[in-house]
Every structure is written in C-alpha cells, then in structure tokens.
Amino acid sequence: MADTFVSDFHVRSQAGEPCAAVSVRNLSTNLYAASDAWGRKCTAAPQPCLISAQVHFKQPFGTAAANDQLGADTVHYGNLSKAILERMKRFTVPREQQQQQQQQSTSSGGTGGSDSSTFTLAYVIHDLWVGLTGWAHFGSVKEEERPFLDLSTVKFLSLTVTLPKASLLGDGVSMTCSQFFKNGPGDKMRENPISASLKIHNLKVPTLVGVNPHERRAKQFVTTSVNVERYFRMDDYYSELERLVVKALDESSYETLEALGAHLADKILEPDHKKDHTKWQVHIRMEKPTAVPLADCPIVEVRAGYGFPAPGRPNAS
C-alpha cells in the first residue's frame, strides 16, 4: 500500500497549473469522530472540524463563462458544500445514533460500515473521498451509489480535514488527500498518482536552542509544524506524534535549528517494530519569533525520509 503513495508536491506537479478550478475553504461542522488532543475518542462529545476542497478541471469553463450559466464544465460551490456536509452527517451524531444508523443500513441490505469506535481522522477523510468520487482513495474500491463529482471532467482533487482543537500545544491537526486523475475513472484508477499527509500545525514549545550566549541561558519559543507525507496509516497517530515532537524540543540543547530539525526527523522516522515508517517523507518547519528583532521570524525547514538523503550526510548518488 505504501508504494502507491507519493508526496502532495509530486501530485500537484504532475497535475500542473489548472485552467479552471473551484474551491471551498474551511467549511465548518462538528464531529463525533477521531481523537481529541489527549488521544481520547470523541464518541460522547463532538469536536470542531473544518473541511476544504479543491477541484481542478481538465477544460476551461465553457458554458458558465460564455452563457453565464452553470454547466457540466464546472461544479457549483454551494452544491459542493452541501454534498460534503451531507456526507459528513454520519459523523455528526452521537455514537448511539451512529450505531442505530449502521443497524438500519445492515437490515436494509447495506454493509453497515465500520464500528463508530474506528471512525478515525483517516477514516473520515477517506469516507468523504468515496462520497465525492465514488472510489476509495486507494483507487481499488468503487462505491455503488452515484458520486457527486463527474471524474471525466476533473483533473485534480484535494481534500483537507482539519481538527483545530486536536492539538494541546499547536493550532490543530489536519489530513490531506490529493489525486491527479491522469487516466480518468475506470480500471486504470489505481495508476493515478495519489497522496495522503498528516500535519500538526504550529506547535509552540519553549526550547533551548541558539548559538548566542544569551540564548544558552533560557528557553525561547520555537514554533514547529510537522507534515508527514506518504502517510497511509488509518489510526489517530497525531497525539503520539505530538508527544514525540514536544519531548524532543523540550530536551533540546542544540545550537542550530538545522541540527535540531535533523534530530527531530530522525526521531519521527525511527524504526519501530509496531510501525512502518520507511516510506514516510517528513517536512519539518521551525520558526524562532524572538531571534531576529526586525523580522517576524527566521525559518528553517528540513525534509527527510523516503527519497531524501539523511540530514547531515551527502547524497550517495
């Protein structure tokens, strides 16, 4: 499964610049799904959720541009928003109602879906993907019901589901799925480049880092974002990932952000007998707001993992 994923940058570069696009940003709802900032399943109380969608088309707007009327060459952003919220309804009710809906679906001949305890962030975004495209994000399962989008007209699709309260020290977590529909729908669906990534936004952690004498005497805030590309896990790993990142920053005694970023990447990609991180790509972005008085902040970014040389070591090629 891991070999089917590429980075979001790769998918977007393959798709190229769109000649026509429709987007919806930060559509708001509540979820009785996924885990909260402490890693607890949100089955008894909801958490806020923001959904963004980007749809790029293969052809320029025709009817809509020429006749000022909506046609098959575009998608109404209002209907797109309604389709997303309608699909998300299964996650916006308490667990008891979810179980009743599953039982009703099973009794009427449906599959009933997964137990609500498995409604992770990854499950939610993949279910939304199926509702819009008719296909699982892995490109191997086609849903029976008619999807919202006509994939014969779509060049690129990206979905992001953000949980703004699912981080203790940051601005939330998000998962993004994207696909370039190179071959369109059909038997070759699995050949279309796809990506999935998990991101923790703007962790603010007091950190001992810096080369100047005064920076060695006290900790300063370092704002760190971690994006894990080629992410194919279905569990809510973000709480564990945040704890790992915060611990590494809290224990830091590095002088440079470059060395700290390389160390942090090594910690995230560290082999674990329970997990396979060998296919991950990690993008770490670190800011020091107080380091340069006349700038908002200096920024250092580190990319490591699958396809990248290890930080601190030259590329063998």
Side-chain angles (χ1 to χ4, degrees), residues 187-222:
D187 295 336
K188 294 184 178 181
M189 189 71 172
R190 280 173 286 184
E191 299 178 10
N192 295 328
I194 61 176
S195 68
S197 61
L198 177 72
K199 185 174 183 178
I200 301 179
H201 299 259
N202 300 326
L203 288 170
K204 299 175 181 64
V205 181
T207 306
L208 184 63
V209 62
V211 299
N212 298 308
H214 61 274
E215 292 182 300
R216 310 310 300 171
R217 295 198 297 266
K219 292 183 177 182
Q220 59 183 302
F221 275 116
V222 173

Side-chain angles (χ1 to χ4, degrees), residues 279-302:
K279 301 296 184 180
W280 284 4
Q281 292 178 356
V282 177
H283 175 201
I284 300 169
R285 175 187 171 99
M286 295 168 291
E287 304 176 0
K288 287 172 63 178
T290 59
V292 180
L294 298 182
D296 287 343
C297 61
I299 302 168
V300 170
E301 299 183 51
V302 174

Side-chain angles (χ1 to χ4, degrees), residues 257 266 278 284:
L257 288 177
D266 285 341
T278 59
I284 300 169

Side-chain angles (χ1 to χ4, degrees), residues 22-312:
V22 172
S23 301
V24 175
R25 185 174 62 213
N26 290 342
L27 189 63
S28 180
T29 186
N30 290 322
L31 293 184
Y32 286 88
S35 300
D36 65 9
W38 286 270
R40 303 173 302 177
K41 294 295 182 182
C42 293
T43 56
Q47 64 174 318
C49 171
L50 302 174
I51 306 162
S52 298
Q54 298 179 33
V55 185
H56 297 178
F57 297 95
K58 295 178 180 177
Q59 302 294 332
F61 296 135
T63 303
N67 302 328
D68 198 19
Q69 295 178 348
L70 295 175
D73 55 350
T74 185
V75 58
H76 191 286
Y77 47 79
N79 291 338
L80 174 61
S81 301
K82 292 177 183 177
I84 291 173
L85 292 178
E86 181 65 28
R87 185 72 182 188
M88 297 295 286
K89 278 185 178 180
R90 64 190 67 194
F91 307 115
T92 61
V93 296
R95 179 171 182 173
E96 293 75 13
Q97 294 184 36
Q98 293 174 4
Q99 292 171 336
Q100 291 175 3
Q101 292 175 356
Q102 292 163 7
Q103 293 171 358
Q104 292 172 359
S105 176
T106 303
S107 62
S108 62
T111 60
S114 301
D115 181 82
S116 60
S117 62
T118 66
F119 287 166
T120 62
L121 176 58
Y123 183 94
V124 169
I125 192 171
H126 282 270
D127 185 81
L128 177 59
W129 186 277
V130 171
L132 294 181
T133 69
W135 293 81
H137 189 243
F138 306 118
S140 59
V141 179
K142 190 174 187 303
E143 196 176 70
E144 294 180 1
E145 65 185 81
R146 182 181 178 183
F148 174 75
L149 294 173
D150 178 5
L151 293 186
S152 65
T153 67
V154 175
K155 182 180 183 181
F156 169 86
L157 173 65
S158 180
L159 292 178
T160 298
V161 177
T162 301
L163 305 176
K165 298 294 185 180
S167 172
L168 288 173
L169 298 177
D171 292 338
V173 302
S174 66
M175 189 168 184
T176 298
C177 294
S178 302
Q179 188 161 16
F180 167 39
F181 298 102
K182 177 181 179 181
N183 298 309
D187 295 336
K188 294 184 178 181
M189 189 71 172
R190 280 173 286 184
E191 299 178 10
N192 295 328
I194 61 176
S195 68
S197 61
L198 177 72
K199 185 174 183 178
I200 301 179
H201 299 259
N202 300 326
L203 288 170
K204 299 175 181 64
V205 181
T207 306
L208 184 63
V209 62
V211 299
N212 298 308
H214 61 274
E215 292 182 300
R216 310 310 300 171
R217 295 198 297 266
K219 292 183 177 182
Q220 59 183 302
F221 275 116
V222 173
T223 303
T224 304
S225 294
V226 177
N227 192 30
V228 180
E229 298 263 15
R230 296 171 57 88
Y231 182 84
F232 51 90
R233 292 178 54 161
M234 293 299 291
D235 60 332
D236 286 334
Y237 176 63
Y238 44 85
S239 296
E240 182 179 343
L241 177 61
E242 178 169 333
R243 287 193 293 270
L244 184 154
V245 173
V246 170
K247 184 174 186 293
L249 293 173
D250 183 63
E251 295 176 349
S252 167
S253 59
Y254 289 95
E255 293 189 354
T256 66
L257 288 177
E258 289 83 352
L260 176 58
H263 171 71
L264 188 54
D266 285 341
K267 285 293 184 181
I268 295 172
L269 296 169
E270 196 170 67
D272 189 315
H273 70 282
K274 297 180 181 178
K275 311 175 186 72
D276 180 14
H277 298 170
T278 59
K279 301 296 184 180
W280 284 4
Q281 292 178 356
V282 177
H283 175 201
I284 300 169
R285 175 187 171 99
M286 295 168 291
E287 304 176 0
K288 287 172 63 178
T290 59
V292 180
L294 298 182
D296 287 343
C297 61
I299 302 168
V300 170
E301 299 183 51
V302 174
R303 286 175 170 84
Y306 185 85
F308 287 95

